[in-house]
Amino acid sequence: WRSLAHLAKKLDGYTTLQAKEKRRAAWKLWLRRPFEYPVLMLRYTFLKRHITGGWYGIKAAHTLAWGRTARIRKFLAAQRAERQLK
């Protein structure tokens, strides 16, 4: 990544496209939603070892976890919009 802003923009575009193209069961998304950010933050911080990057590594882990969590919100919003059109 060139910067954290670049990473956030890249994740935003990618997750928006995923929400348009893929379908997920809504009940699974709702169950996953409260645990997604904390689990991913721990995963990226410790298992992917971003903690070794100091504060930048922590910020990168946060940006990645937040972007992946936004994906669930986008999936749910896309499903809601699709239901309203029907």
Side-chain angles (χ1 to χ4, degrees):
W1 321 301
R2 288 177 271 193
S3 66
L4 292 177
H6 174 253
L7 175 61
K9 185 178 176 184
K10 181 178 179 179
L11 281 170
D12 183 51
Y14 180 65
T15 56
T16 301
L17 180 63
Q18 277 188 324
K20 288 179 186 176
E21 299 295 325
K22 290 186 174 184
R23 295 290 165 249
R24 299 276 191 243
W27 67 272
K28 288 181 182 178
L29 294 172
W30 281 107
L31 283 176
R32 211 171 141 181
R33 191 173 181 201
F35 306 105
E36 187 78 0
Y37 178 81
V39 168
L40 286 175
M41 185 62 183
L42 289 172
R43 177 181 171 207
Y44 285 118
T45 303
F46 297 108
L47 296 178
K48 300 283 186 175
R49 296 184 287 174
H50 284 281
I51 194 140
T52 60
W55 286 112
Y56 185 82
I58 300 287
K59 289 177 188 177
H62 164 72
T63 303
L64 287 163
W66 188 256
R68 297 279 304 208
T69 304
R71 181 176 69 150
I72 291 177
R73 289 192 305 271
K74 290 178 184 182
F75 274 126
L76 292 169
Q79 289 178 357
R80 201 173 314 120
E82 188 177 291
R83 268 187 271 129
Q84 288 177 351
L85 290 175
K86 289 182 180 179

